[in-house]
Amino acid sequence: MRKKIVAGNWKCNTTISEGVELAKQVNILVTERGAKDVVVVLGTPFTHLASVCAIVDPDRVCVAAQNCAAEPKGAFTGEVSVSMIQSTGATYVIIGHSERREYYLETSEILNKKVALTLAQGLTPIYCCGEALAIREAGTENNFVKKQLEETIFNLPAEDFKKIVIAYEPIWAIGTGRTASSQQAQDMLAFIRQLIAKKYDQTIAAACSILYGGSCSPANAKELFSQADIDGGLIGGASLKAEDFLAIINAY
Ligand code: PGA
Protein backbone atom coordinates (compact mmCIF):
# COMPACT_ATOMS: atom_id res chain seq x y z
CA MET A 1 0.00 0.00 0.00
CA ARG A 2 1.51 3.31 -0.97
CA LYS A 3 1.33 6.28 1.36
CA LYS A 4 -1.22 9.04 0.94
CA ILE A 5 0.52 12.34 1.52
CA VAL A 6 -0.76 15.89 1.78
CA ALA A 7 2.15 18.33 1.89
CA GLY A 8 1.88 22.07 2.37
CA ASN A 9 4.30 24.36 0.61
CA TRP A 10 4.25 27.68 2.42
CA LYS A 11 6.74 29.19 -0.05
CA CYS A 12 8.09 32.60 1.03
CA ASN A 13 5.20 33.38 3.37
CA THR A 14 4.76 33.99 7.12
CA THR A 15 7.10 35.34 9.75
CA ILE A 16 8.35 32.85 12.33
CA SER A 17 5.62 33.74 14.82
CA GLU A 18 2.91 33.55 12.14
CA GLY A 19 4.31 30.23 10.91
CA VAL A 20 4.45 28.75 14.40
CA GLU A 21 0.85 29.85 14.98
CA LEU A 22 -0.24 28.24 11.70
CA ALA A 23 1.64 25.03 12.51
CA LYS A 24 0.02 24.95 15.97
CA GLN A 25 -3.44 25.25 14.43
CA VAL A 26 -2.70 22.56 11.83
CA ASN A 27 -1.29 20.29 14.53
CA ILE A 28 -4.41 20.64 16.69
CA LEU A 29 -6.78 20.12 13.76
CA VAL A 30 -4.87 17.13 12.42
CA THR A 31 -4.56 15.54 15.85
CA GLU A 32 -8.24 16.02 16.62
CA ARG A 33 -9.88 15.59 13.22
CA GLY A 34 -7.31 14.58 10.60
CA ALA A 35 -7.58 11.39 8.56
CA LYS A 36 -5.25 8.94 10.29
CA ASP A 37 -4.03 7.28 7.12
CA VAL A 38 -2.77 10.50 5.53
CA VAL A 39 0.82 11.64 6.06
CA VAL A 40 0.73 15.39 6.68
CA VAL A 41 3.79 17.47 5.84
CA LEU A 42 4.40 21.19 6.40
CA GLY A 43 6.92 22.74 4.01
CA THR A 44 8.07 25.83 5.85
CA PRO A 45 10.78 28.42 5.19
CA PHE A 46 14.23 27.41 6.51
CA THR A 47 14.02 29.95 9.32
CA HIS A 48 10.89 28.29 10.72
CA LEU A 49 11.93 24.64 10.59
CA ALA A 50 13.30 24.20 14.11
CA SER A 51 10.47 26.14 15.77
CA VAL A 52 7.79 24.27 13.84
CA CYS A 53 9.41 20.89 14.51
CA ALA A 54 9.42 21.73 18.22
CA ILE A 55 5.65 22.22 18.42
CA VAL A 56 4.14 19.56 16.15
CA ASP A 57 3.39 15.97 17.10
CA PRO A 58 5.96 14.10 14.98
CA ASP A 59 3.66 11.09 14.76
CA ARG A 60 1.00 13.18 13.00
CA VAL A 61 2.75 16.11 11.33
CA CYS A 62 6.06 15.96 9.48
CA VAL A 63 8.11 18.97 8.43
CA ALA A 64 9.83 19.70 5.12
CA ALA A 65 12.35 22.20 3.86
CA GLN A 66 11.49 23.74 0.48
CA ASN A 67 15.01 23.48 -0.88
CA CYS A 68 18.54 22.52 0.17
CA ALA A 69 22.11 23.28 -0.80
CA ALA A 70 23.65 21.23 -3.60
CA GLU A 71 26.84 20.84 -1.56
CA PRO A 72 27.21 19.11 1.80
CA LYS A 73 28.94 22.07 3.51
CA GLY A 74 31.63 24.68 3.14
CA ALA A 75 32.11 28.11 1.60
CA PHE A 76 28.67 28.57 0.02
CA THR A 77 27.40 31.80 1.53
CA GLY A 78 23.67 31.85 2.13
CA GLU A 79 23.10 28.15 1.51
CA VAL A 80 21.42 25.71 3.91
CA SER A 81 22.75 22.16 3.85
CA VAL A 82 20.80 18.94 4.22
CA SER A 83 22.55 18.14 7.50
CA MET A 84 21.46 21.55 8.84
CA ILE A 85 17.91 20.75 7.76
CA GLN A 86 18.11 17.37 9.43
CA SER A 87 19.35 18.97 12.64
CA THR A 88 16.07 20.94 12.89
CA GLY A 89 14.03 17.73 12.96
CA ALA A 90 12.64 18.10 9.43
CA THR A 91 12.36 14.82 7.53
CA TYR A 92 11.39 15.87 4.00
CA VAL A 93 12.95 18.19 1.42
CA ILE A 94 11.01 19.58 -1.56
CA ILE A 95 13.40 19.47 -4.53
CA GLY A 96 13.06 20.90 -8.02
CA HIS A 97 9.93 22.99 -7.53
CA SER A 98 9.23 24.83 -10.79
CA GLU A 99 9.75 28.18 -9.06
CA ARG A 100 13.29 27.12 -8.18
CA ARG A 101 13.93 25.77 -11.66
CA GLU A 102 12.61 28.97 -13.22
CA TYR A 103 13.76 31.78 -10.91
CA TYR A 104 16.96 30.22 -9.54
CA LEU A 105 17.98 28.35 -12.66
CA GLU A 106 18.16 24.94 -11.04
CA THR A 107 19.21 22.42 -13.65
CA SER A 108 18.90 18.65 -13.64
CA GLU A 109 22.58 18.48 -12.68
CA ILE A 110 21.96 20.58 -9.57
CA LEU A 111 18.80 18.64 -8.69
CA ASN A 112 20.67 15.35 -8.91
CA LYS A 113 23.13 16.58 -6.31
CA LYS A 114 20.33 17.75 -4.03
CA VAL A 115 18.44 14.47 -4.30
CA ALA A 116 21.62 12.48 -3.59
CA LEU A 117 22.52 14.57 -0.54
CA THR A 118 18.98 14.38 0.82
CA LEU A 119 18.89 10.60 0.49
CA ALA A 120 22.38 10.23 1.94
CA GLN A 121 21.21 12.10 5.04
CA GLY A 122 18.18 9.83 5.41
CA LEU A 123 15.62 12.50 4.50
CA THR A 124 12.84 12.03 1.95
CA PRO A 125 12.96 14.09 -1.25
CA ILE A 126 9.65 15.32 -2.66
CA TYR A 127 10.79 15.64 -6.24
CA CYS A 128 8.74 18.06 -8.37
CA CYS A 129 8.17 17.92 -12.09
CA GLY A 130 5.72 19.47 -14.51
CA GLU A 131 5.37 21.38 -17.74
CA ALA A 132 4.70 25.02 -18.67
CA LEU A 133 1.55 26.10 -20.49
CA ALA A 134 3.19 26.32 -23.94
CA ILE A 135 4.29 22.70 -23.64
CA ARG A 136 0.82 21.57 -22.61
CA GLU A 137 -0.70 23.54 -25.49
CA ALA A 138 1.74 21.92 -27.91
CA GLY A 139 0.65 18.51 -26.58
CA THR A 140 4.20 17.50 -25.64
CA GLU A 141 3.78 17.36 -21.86
CA ASN A 142 4.39 13.63 -21.58
CA ASN A 143 7.74 13.82 -23.35
CA PHE A 144 8.72 16.86 -21.32
CA VAL A 145 8.01 15.23 -17.96
CA LYS A 146 9.64 11.98 -19.10
CA LYS A 147 12.82 13.91 -19.90
CA GLN A 148 12.75 15.64 -16.50
CA LEU A 149 12.56 12.24 -14.81
CA GLU A 150 15.17 10.63 -17.04
CA GLU A 151 17.65 13.41 -16.36
CA THR A 152 17.21 13.19 -12.61
CA ILE A 153 15.56 10.59 -10.39
CA PHE A 154 15.63 7.82 -13.00
CA ASN A 155 19.40 7.82 -12.52
CA LEU A 156 18.90 6.50 -9.00
CA PRO A 157 19.45 2.85 -8.17
CA ALA A 158 16.20 1.09 -7.29
CA GLU A 159 16.97 1.05 -3.56
CA ASP A 160 17.18 4.85 -3.54
CA PHE A 161 14.33 5.43 -5.93
CA LYS A 162 12.02 3.57 -3.55
CA LYS A 163 12.58 6.28 -0.93
CA ILE A 164 11.40 9.26 -2.91
CA VAL A 165 8.04 10.95 -3.37
CA ILE A 166 7.13 12.56 -6.70
CA ALA A 167 4.94 15.65 -7.12
CA TYR A 168 3.57 16.47 -10.55
CA GLU A 169 2.79 20.17 -10.73
CA PRO A 170 1.84 21.63 -14.09
CA ILE A 171 3.25 25.17 -13.99
CA TRP A 172 0.11 26.59 -15.56
CA ALA A 173 -1.92 25.40 -12.58
CA ILE A 174 0.34 26.73 -9.83
CA GLY A 175 -1.12 29.72 -7.99
CA THR A 176 -3.38 30.48 -10.95
CA GLY A 177 -6.64 29.05 -9.68
CA ARG A 178 -6.65 27.02 -12.89
CA THR A 179 -6.43 23.42 -11.67
CA ALA A 180 -5.68 20.60 -14.01
CA SER A 181 -8.84 18.59 -14.46
CA SER A 182 -8.85 15.39 -12.44
CA GLN A 183 -8.58 13.51 -15.75
CA GLN A 184 -5.52 15.51 -16.87
CA ALA A 185 -3.87 14.94 -13.49
CA GLN A 186 -4.78 11.24 -13.45
CA ASP A 187 -3.50 10.75 -17.02
CA MET A 188 -0.13 12.27 -16.20
CA LEU A 189 0.27 10.40 -12.92
CA ALA A 190 -0.65 7.12 -14.59
CA PHE A 191 1.90 7.91 -17.31
CA ILE A 192 4.60 8.60 -14.69
CA ARG A 193 3.75 5.35 -12.89
CA GLN A 194 4.03 3.48 -16.17
CA LEU A 195 7.46 5.02 -16.78
CA ILE A 196 8.58 3.92 -13.31
CA ALA A 197 7.38 0.38 -14.03
CA LYS A 198 9.38 0.32 -17.25
CA LYS A 199 12.49 1.82 -15.70
CA TYR A 200 12.36 -0.18 -12.44
CA ASP A 201 9.53 -2.65 -11.99
CA GLN A 202 5.83 -2.97 -11.33
CA THR A 203 6.21 -3.37 -7.57
CA ILE A 204 8.30 -0.22 -7.24
CA ALA A 205 5.86 1.69 -9.45
CA ALA A 206 2.87 0.51 -7.41
CA ALA A 207 4.55 1.56 -4.16
CA CYS A 208 5.64 5.06 -5.25
CA SER A 209 3.55 7.94 -3.88
CA ILE A 210 2.86 10.45 -6.63
CA LEU A 211 1.20 13.73 -5.67
CA TYR A 212 -0.63 16.33 -7.71
CA GLY A 213 0.02 20.05 -7.12
CA GLY A 214 -1.45 23.22 -8.61
CA SER A 215 -4.38 25.20 -7.20
CA CYS A 216 -5.53 22.24 -5.15
CA SER A 217 -8.27 23.44 -2.78
CA PRO A 218 -11.00 22.12 -0.48
CA ALA A 219 -13.36 22.49 -3.46
CA ASN A 220 -11.49 20.22 -5.85
CA ALA A 221 -9.40 17.92 -3.63
CA LYS A 222 -12.04 15.21 -3.30
CA GLU A 223 -12.41 14.86 -7.04
CA LEU A 224 -8.63 14.87 -7.58
CA PHE A 225 -7.91 12.40 -4.78
CA SER A 226 -10.58 10.01 -6.04
CA GLN A 227 -8.40 9.25 -9.06
CA ALA A 228 -6.62 5.90 -8.99
CA ASP A 229 -3.07 7.20 -9.37
CA ILE A 230 -3.27 10.39 -7.30
CA ASP A 231 -1.74 9.71 -3.89
CA GLY A 232 -2.19 13.17 -2.42
CA GLY A 233 -1.24 16.74 -3.05
CA LEU A 234 1.42 19.40 -2.79
CA ILE A 235 -0.54 22.41 -1.64
CA GLY A 236 0.58 26.03 -1.90
CA GLY A 237 -1.97 28.78 -1.22
CA ALA A 238 -4.52 26.58 0.56
CA SER A 239 -1.89 25.31 3.02
CA LEU A 240 -1.67 28.79 4.55
CA LYS A 241 -5.16 28.42 6.05
CA ALA A 242 -5.32 25.65 8.65
CA GLU A 243 -9.01 24.80 8.08
CA ASP A 244 -8.58 24.65 4.29
CA PHE A 245 -5.50 22.48 4.67
CA LEU A 246 -7.41 20.14 7.00
CA ALA A 247 -10.28 19.95 4.52
CA ILE A 248 -7.81 18.85 1.83
CA ILE A 249 -6.25 16.28 4.17
CA ASN A 250 -9.72 14.92 4.86
CA ALA A 251 -10.77 14.93 1.21
CA TYR A 252 -9.93 11.25 0.79
P1 PGA B 1 -0.70 26.34 -5.34
O1 PGA B 1 0.86 25.94 -5.29
O2 PGA B 1 -1.43 25.29 -4.57
O3 PGA B 1 -0.76 27.69 -4.68
O4 PGA B 1 -1.09 26.38 -6.77
C1 PGA B 1 1.28 24.61 -5.40
C2 PGA B 1 2.78 24.55 -5.35
O5 PGA B 1 3.44 25.38 -5.99
O6 PGA B 1 3.36 23.67 -4.69
Side-chain angles (χ1 to χ4, degrees):
M1 252 316 251
R2 51 184 181 255
K3 280 183 194 160
K4 297 174 189 170
I5 302 172
V6 174
N9 175 10
W10 292 1
K11 308 193 181 187
C12 190
N13 292 299
T14 72
T15 60
I16 295 182
S17 58
E18 289 164 353
V20 166
E21 192 46 47
L22 174 58
K24 270 186 192 160
Q25 286 173 26
V26 171
N27 190 59
I28 291 170
L29 292 176
V30 168
T31 314
E32 288 176 356
R33 295 195 264 134
K36 298 252 184 315
D37 58 342
V38 176
V39 177
V40 176
V41 182
L42 298 179
T44 85
F46 287 134
T47 42
H48 305 23
L49 290 172
S51 317
V52 168
C53 285
I55 57 104
V56 295
D57 173 354
D59 291 332
R60 297 307 310 278
V61 179
C62 303
V63 179
Q66 299 168 19
N67 179 30
C68 64
E71 303 296 335
K73 64 182 203 171
F76 302 101
T77 302
E79 289 293 279
V80 177
S81 73
V82 178
S83 53
M84 293 172 194
I85 293 167
Q86 186 190 36
S87 71
T88 67
T91 50
Y92 288 79
V93 183
I94 299 170
I95 296 177
H97 190 283
S98 59
E99 287 153 15
R100 299 226 44 98
R101 293 179 191 252
E102 188 178 344
Y103 308 141
Y104 304 97
L105 310 180
E106 294 196 357
T107 60
S108 294
E109 195 187 340
I110 292 171
L111 300 181
N112 281 334
K113 288 186 180 184
K114 294 185 176 192
V115 169
L117 288 167
T118 300
L119 287 168
Q121 207 67 41
L123 274 61
T124 302
I126 300 177
Y127 173 84
C128 304
C129 58
E131 80 287 354
L133 185 59
I135 293 168
R136 168 67 61 165
E137 283 176 346
T140 53
E141 65 274 9
N142 284 13
N143 279 342
F144 182 86
V145 170
K146 181 169 181 253
K147 187 161 178 285
Q148 284 186 321
L149 300 174
E150 283 173 348
E151 287 179 359
T152 55
I153 50 175
F154 279 4
N155 292 317
L156 293 170
E159 279 319 301
D160 282 340
F161 184 86
K162 284 181 190 169
K163 298 175 189 154
I164 69 165
V165 172
I166 297 174
Y168 165 65
E169 299 203 304
I171 297 170
W172 46 272
I174 295 177
T176 57
R178 178 182 170 180
T179 327
S181 70
S182 55
Q183 194 59 53
Q184 284 172 321
Q186 163 60 23
D187 287 350
M188 179 59 84
L189 268 55
F191 173 69
I192 293 172
R193 203 176 301 286
Q194 220 179 68
L195 293 176
I196 299 168
K198 261 192 230 156
K199 170 71 195 168
Y200 297 96
D201 63 38
Q202 201 63 53
T203 313
I204 292 178
C208 182
S209 294
I210 312 179
L211 318 182
Y212 165 78
S215 298
C216 195
S217 70
N220 59 30
K222 211 173 188 59
E223 164 73 15
L224 285 162
F225 294 173
S226 69
Q227 302 298 311
D229 285 285
I230 302 184
D231 304 316
L234 183 54
I235 320 297
S239 72
L240 294 168
K241 293 191 191 124
E243 283 285 357
D244 284 0
F245 193 51
L246 178 77
I248 295 172
I249 293 163
N250 286 346
Y252 271 106

